[in-house]
Amino acid sequence: MTTSATYPLFCMGNPLLDMQVRSPELLQKYNLKPNDAILASKDQMVIYDEIVRDHNPTYVAGGAAQNAARAAAYVLPENSVVYTGCVGKDVLANTLRSANQREGVASAYQVTTEENTGACAVILTDHNRSLVTTLRAAEKFNKSHLSSPAILPLVDGAKFYYVGGFFLTHGTESALEIAQKASNSGKVFALNLSAPFIPQFFKVQLEQVLPYVDILFGNESEAESWANANGLSKPTDLPAVALALAKLPKSNASRPRTVVITSGSEATVVATSDSDDTKTYSVNKLSDEQIVDTNGAGDAFAGGFMGAYVSGKSVPECVEVGHKLGAMCVGQIGPQLAWPKQQV
Ligand code: 26A
């Protein structure tokens, strides 16, 4: 990691190595939905060995917030983005470090000797992706890391923060520390809902963090899950759900909350707490031939949006950059963007 520098955007999440395979049989065998993100159950834990043994997987850097960090770096000048999370002392971690370095993200990992770096089995079928994660080292992240001598200046030096909702399965205290700091100092805190199971099963944790959220990202299934968990009458009415999220109580009342809900190739919906209207932004649909896989598309959108936001762009411009990076990611294997860098 380059020390001394500070970075305007500080990201935090679960650093994972993705293992991608295309296999309808694995979906069936492990009882997985075609499009979902879950933590592996006890019975599903053998999927990683099976994939390595029988499926010749493609390994790519993953972890939702880390993907977003790399996407933000894609549209920002050098030394703009730093990412933290917990990894093991192993080659998987080195793979993640190199991807970050190559793509302009400073790695500020906590390193544990207790566990190996986390992994995500990515089962691709058609344009769907099923994500099955074992967090391992990622859930050993300790809040003390944020106040350690090397990391504290990076936390305090940043002006924008992005945390994955996935982090709330184990790291709510750390997320709250960052969120409250941001709120108290008038900085911008962004959160991604990450997956339907977060609003469903980590409702309490999400409720603790939401008052500090200035920018909230999610997709249609996550918005629906939140709406169901909170008893909204029309859980599939995206503008209504986005508006309900925007209007939730907010700690720093001087900055309106922006809620951005993507919906695959359908229009993106944006609601802000200071308006009763929502806006929709259409997406240029890709042809079947242009689609490689959809793993990481939502992260690329959120990262692109954040990168543009950090550089002072308006919300419509941020959505446009998000759409471009989302499409770019869909055209690559896994959560990757096009290199050499393209103009966005
Ligand atoms: C806690 N869980 C389940 C997770 C994840 C995750 N990142 C953090 N925590 N489950 C899947 N991912 C990542 O999501 C990306 C696609 O959006 C995968 O590593 C994949 O790169």
Side-chain angles (χ1 to χ4, degrees):
M1 193 183 83
T2 341
T3 44
S4 76
T6 58
Y7 306 84
L9 177 59
F10 184 97
C11 305
M12 181 167 75
N14 301 319
L16 305 174
L17 189 72
D18 285 1
M19 317 161 58
Q20 293 205 168
V21 292
R22 205 164 261 287
S23 165
E25 304 81 61
L26 281 177
L27 273 195
Q28 251 194 337
K29 180 164 177 188
Y30 288 93
N31 206 6
L32 303 169
K33 291 185 198 154
N35 235 335
D36 205 1
I38 59 165
L39 286 166
S41 66
K42 232 168 148 208
D43 293 346
Q44 290 164 333
M45 277 297 181
V46 288
I47 196 170
Y48 307 98
D49 284 343
E50 176 168 350
I51 286 178
V52 172
R53 195 180 58 234
D54 303 332
H55 291 270
N56 190 24
T58 306
Y59 294 94
V60 273
Q66 188 168 236
N67 298 337
R70 296 198 316 277
Y74 198 89
V75 298
L76 283 167
E78 264 181 67
N79 295 324
S80 292
V81 187
V82 59
Y83 170 84
T84 193
C86 188
V87 294
K89 239 183 167 134
D90 51 21
V91 289
L92 274 64
N94 288 337
T95 306
L96 300 183
R97 279 193 189 89
S98 345
N100 284 347
Q101 193 176 15
R102 201 171 51 233
E103 300 183 33
V105 173
S107 302
Y109 292 140
Q110 182 171 30
V111 180
T112 179
T113 49
E114 285 171 50
E115 283 279 0
N116 291 327
T117 299
C120 177
V122 179
I123 319 301
L124 303 172
T125 49
D126 303 321
H127 297 158
N128 299 318
R129 92 287 182 268
S130 199
L131 309 168
V132 187
T133 291
T134 173
L135 286 172
R136 301 179 189 150
E139 63 184 341
K140 302 287 173 198
F141 188 89
N142 193 297
K143 193 173 77 138
S144 63
H145 185 61
L146 297 174
S147 45
S148 66
I151 307 304
L152 184 62
L154 302 176
V155 176
D156 288 344
K159 298 209 162 54
F160 303 83
Y161 302 88
Y162 178 91
V163 174
F166 278 134
F167 205 75
L168 302 182
T169 64
H170 61 90
T172 305
E173 274 190 25
S174 304
L176 273 175
E177 165 132 334
I178 301 272
Q180 286 166 346
K181 264 196 179 190
S183 174
N184 292 338
S185 52
K187 295 174 179 178
V188 175
F189 181 80
L191 183 81
N192 199 314
L193 290 174
S194 292
F197 83 85
I198 299 293
Q200 191 181 6
F201 297 121
F202 294 87
K203 185 170 181 267
V204 173
Q205 290 84 341
L206 187 59
E207 267 164 15
Q208 284 178 276
V209 181
L210 277 172
Y212 306 101
V213 175
D214 298 296
I215 306 179
L216 183 71
F217 295 100
N219 68 20
E220 76 284 16
S221 55
E222 293 150 15
E224 185 180 345
S225 169
W226 180 82
N228 280 322
N230 289 276
L232 267 68
S233 58
K234 290 185 188 161
T236 55
D237 180 344
L238 288 190
V241 179
L243 204 54
L245 279 160
K247 300 272 186 188
L248 290 174
K250 192 163 185 299
S251 162
N252 173 6
S254 65
R255 190 193 301 282
R257 178 183 294 121
T258 304
V259 177
V260 188
I261 307 294
T262 58
S263 188
S265 62
E266 302 301 318
T268 296
V269 177
V270 176
T272 46
S273 52
D274 58 359
S275 164
D276 292 334
D277 296 326
T278 55
K279 293 204 170 64
T280 57
Y281 300 88
S282 62
V283 173
N284 288 328
K285 287 201 170 76
L286 298 175
S287 67
D288 276 2
E289 301 80 66
Q290 288 172 306
I291 300 177
V292 177
D293 69 63
T294 54
N295 182 22
D299 306 330
F301 172 88
F305 184 111
M306 282 309 293
Y309 196 87
V310 168
S311 46
K313 300 266 167 61
S314 68
V315 168
E317 290 170 316
C318 294
V319 172
E320 192 185 335
V321 174
H323 284 165
K324 282 185 182 160
L325 289 204
M328 192 190 288
C329 173
V330 166
Q332 317 292 319
I333 295 171
Q336 303 191 95
L337 297 168
W339 295 89
K341 205 182 261 196
Q342 294 177 3
Q343 199 58 44
V344 257

